[in-house]
Amino acid sequence: MSDEKSFYERMGGRQTFVLLTERFYQQVATNPVLRPMYPEDLGGARERLQLFLEQYWGGPTTYSDTRGHPRLRMRHAPFHIATVEHDAWLQCMHAALIDLEMAEEMKEELWSYFQYAANSMINQPS
């Protein structure tokens, strides 16, 4: 058995993802581009993002256990996502990520993933 910790554990586990998603949705709540895309109560979206990120980075598989395969593009297909929405999402995520207490290389790895994921969600011409 390996003693090497997962990325999830090294970055602080569940509490880090709770903090990240809380900060992200605080940004979304006041973002004029993103806010209209969400229901009034942001709690469900926050929880789904938290569970997805925990699983993706090596934490519990609660997301898939309760919701099935992530199928991110399919789940986001009903939403109009062009460059404006992409940029707004990244702006909110960057604000949520920037002040987290973790090594810079971990932030950079997360940021690279968020940029890749945001690019993958674009479903409308700019």
Side-chain angles (χ1 to χ4, degrees):
M1 181 160 195
S2 174
D3 288 335
E4 189 171 328
K5 290 183 176 181
S6 68
F7 188 86
Y8 173 79
E9 293 168 321
R10 290 191 327 250
M11 68 179 297
R14 183 176 193 277
Q15 70 185 74
T16 297
F17 288 99
V18 168
L19 183 58
L20 175 64
T21 55
E22 284 177 351
R23 288 180 177 180
F24 174 73
Y25 280 102
Q26 286 171 352
Q27 297 293 315
V28 168
T30 61
N31 186 285
V33 173
L34 297 181
R35 187 62 185 104
M37 298 172 76
Y38 288 90
E40 185 176 333
D41 181 1
L42 295 172
R46 188 207 53 77
E47 180 182 31
R48 288 186 295 276
L49 178 60
Q50 175 198 322
L51 293 175
F52 168 76
L53 292 174
E54 286 180 328
Q55 178 174 308
Y56 183 87
W57 293 102
T61 60
T62 309
Y63 183 92
S64 288
D65 294 344
T66 58
R67 297 185 50 83
H69 189 281
R71 301 184 311 252
L72 293 181
R73 284 190 51 83
M74 183 200 78
R75 292 184 193 272
H76 289 81
F79 303 100
H80 179 278
I81 303 173
T83 303
V84 171
E85 293 80 10
H86 164 275
D87 292 351
W89 192 92
L90 282 176
Q91 179 183 21
C92 291
M93 188 54 78
H94 189 263
L97 176 63
I98 196 71
D99 291 328
L100 284 181
E101 297 286 330
M102 68 175 64
E104 286 302 315
E105 63 269 7
M106 290 183 169
K107 285 185 193 178
E108 290 172 16
E109 192 165 347
L110 282 166
W111 183 240
S112 291
Y113 170 74
F114 291 139
Q115 291 175 319
Y116 166 79
N119 287 337
S120 298
M121 296 303 113
I122 293 174
N123 60 20
Q124 301 294 316
S126 295

